[in-house]
Amino acid sequence: MRGKSLISHLGPIIMLLAGLAFAWGAVATLDLGTFRRMGPGAFPLLVGGVLTVLAAICLVQNIRSPIGVGPADYIAVLGVIVGVAVFAFFTPRLGVLPATAIAVLATGSAIPDFKWPYRIMLAFGVAISVWLIFVKGLGMPFVAIKGL
């Protein structure tokens, strides 16, 4: 039972380490700027800090009452890996918006009961959200659609 308890802590520990790494990387290597004029390190520091806090909360709750560990879902893991690989492959070729939509479709294919009309709506919704948040809202210099 102790081994399964330790395995259930693995996810929050990985999230905690990733959050700390992002926050430390932002502080150590990037300019944070000021509150009025944030530098390139402000957003990674914020994301790393939020991830660290959420992971710590998950870890404390999991220590109090460990979650059950079920069998690994290799299809879901493969779907996420394929989604990330598809995004990395298609972003320089098509732009960030088509790559996002294709990655969402690829990742969603790992869910057997997720019907195609909903996958397509989710892909368009996520791509539009990426465009609104990162391209329009934050003004990041992404190539939204290559060739346009």
Side-chain angles (χ1 to χ4, degrees):
M1 184 66 179
R2 180 146 172 85
K4 286 189 176 191
S5 174
L6 290 175
I7 290 173
S8 73
H9 299 327
L10 189 61
I13 289 171
I14 291 171
M15 286 182 5
L16 182 72
L17 293 175
L20 290 172
F22 267 89
W24 176 255
V27 169
T29 62
L30 299 172
D31 179 27
L32 298 178
T34 64
F35 281 115
R36 288 185 179 260
R37 192 165 197 81
M38 289 192 216
F43 188 71
L45 176 62
L46 178 68
V47 171
V50 169
L51 182 60
T52 300
V53 169
L54 292 175
I57 291 169
C58 288
L59 187 60
V60 167
Q61 286 180 341
N62 200 21
I63 289 171
R64 288 184 180 165
S65 61
I67 58 172
V69 178
D73 186 359
Y74 296 110
I75 300 297
V77 172
L78 182 65
V80 171
I81 291 170
V82 167
V84 171
V86 162
F87 182 78
F89 179 79
F90 282 114
T91 298
R93 290 163 180 79
L94 302 176
V96 85
L97 299 183
T100 299
I102 295 168
V104 169
L105 289 173
T107 304
S109 65
I111 304 169
D113 294 335
F114 197 33
K115 300 193 184 312
W116 276 102
Y118 298 115
R119 290 181 195 178
I120 292 169
M121 287 189 297
L122 180 65
F124 278 113
V126 171
I128 290 168
S129 298
V130 164
W131 180 71
L132 287 172
I133 293 169
F134 294 105
V135 176
K136 288 297 181 187
L138 296 174
M140 298 184 91
F142 290 141
V143 175
I145 299 174
K146 193 160 187 167
L148 289 182

